[in-house]
């Protein structure tokens, strides 16, 4: 049976007495195997604290995600219906400046809006209301005008949709749907 106190004492590897050891070893008497010795209790404590930190971090991320979802972008007035003919389109920035979206009036009191960036390589799409599609001229990609779903070409993901509300004669963008985070 070993004595725990004697296990803590360092033993010089050359076997000489401690007084005969070089100055650097006298200044730093701890051997590497003693310095790196970790008890099960210390290891368990480290693992429990690390696990708790990961769990707290996951809850923090989940809480931030929920708060972001509840904070929807405020309604932004895009256009007046009288200023946009049926079949006409309008480019606007939403939800942030520099994030181009395209609004297309599809009926007397109906309109759709999507991100203007193609989901393939982010080229700007062009509304072709008479053909019922958005066209990406970079790689001949086409999206359905009503749903934003890809119809042909290399794009595989739909265009992110801008949820609209028509209040009186004004069209408002109220939220983005389907944006990658």
């Amino acid at each position: 049976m070993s004595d725990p106190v004697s296990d803590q004492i360092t033993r010089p590897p050359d076997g000489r007495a401690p007084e005969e050891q070089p100055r650097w070893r006298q200044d730093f008497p701890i051997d590497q195997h003693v310095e790196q010795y970790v008890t099960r209790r210390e290891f368990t404590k480290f693992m429990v604290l690390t696990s708790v930190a990961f769990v707290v971090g996951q809850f923090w991320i989940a809480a931030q995600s929920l708060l972001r979802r509840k904070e929807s972008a405020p309604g932004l007035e895009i256009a007046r219906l009288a200023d946009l003919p049926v079949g006409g389109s309008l480019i606007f920035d939403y939800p942030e400046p520099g994030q181009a979206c395209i609004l297309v009036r599809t009926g007397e009191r109906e309109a759709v809006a999507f991100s203007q960036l193609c989901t393939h390589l982010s080229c700007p799409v062009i509304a072709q209301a008479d053909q019922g599609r958005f066209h990406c001229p970079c790689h001949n990609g086409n999206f359905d005008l009503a749903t934003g779903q890809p119809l042909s070409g290399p794009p595989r993901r739909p265009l992110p949709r801008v949820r609209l509300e028509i209040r009186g004669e004004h069209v408002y963008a109220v939220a983005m749907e389907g944006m990658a985070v």
Side-chain angles (χ1 to χ4, degrees):
M1 190 163 156
S2 66
D3 182 19
V5 176
S6 66
D7 289 343
Q8 299 295 324
I9 298 172
T10 60
R11 295 186 191 104
D14 57 4
R16 292 186 291 177
E19 302 82 36
E20 297 174 4
Q21 295 298 315
R23 177 81 179 159
W24 65 268
R25 185 165 288 159
Q26 291 175 7
D27 291 343
F28 303 101
I30 299 172
D31 290 336
Q32 187 176 7
H33 75 279
V34 173
E35 184 179 76
Q36 294 180 352
Y37 180 73
V38 179
T39 63
R40 272 187 271 173
R41 182 175 297 217
E42 290 171 339
F43 180 73
T44 303
K45 186 167 56 174
F46 171 75
M47 293 303 292
V48 168
L49 290 176
T50 302
S51 299
V52 169
F54 278 115
V55 168
V56 169
Q58 292 297 316
F59 279 113
W60 175 257
I61 290 170
Q64 290 292 316
S65 178
L66 287 174
L67 288 175
R68 244 184 255 136
R69 285 185 189 166
K70 289 183 179 179
E71 295 173 2
S72 62
L76 174 70
E77 182 179 343
I78 302 170
R80 289 176 10 127
L81 287 174
D83 297 337
L84 190 64
V86 174
S89 63
L90 175 73
I91 307 294
F92 63 99
D93 290 341
Y94 188 79
E96 301 290 331
Q99 294 180 343
C101 296
I102 187 165
L103 169 73
V104 179
R105 185 171 177 186
T106 56
E108 287 300 318
R109 296 201 51 85
E110 298 166 359
V112 293
F114 295 93
S115 170
Q116 196 191 14
L117 298 180
C118 176
T119 56
H120 176 231
L121 290 178
S122 298
C123 295
V125 296
I126 300 167
Q128 295 177 336
D130 57 330
Q131 298 177 27
R133 68 180 187 177
F134 291 103
H135 178 71
C136 178
C138 292
H139 300 101
N140 287 326
N142 293 299
F143 299 89
D144 184 63
L145 186 72
T147 64
Q149 293 292 323
L151 298 174
S152 63
R156 297 288 175 247
R157 293 175 289 134
L159 293 172
R161 184 183 198 105
V162 179
R163 194 163 15 125
L164 300 174
E165 285 182 10
I166 298 176
R167 302 176 198 157
E169 290 298 314
H170 301 273
V171 180
Y172 291 87
V174 294
M176 288 294 293
E177 299 173 349
M179 281 194 71
V181 178

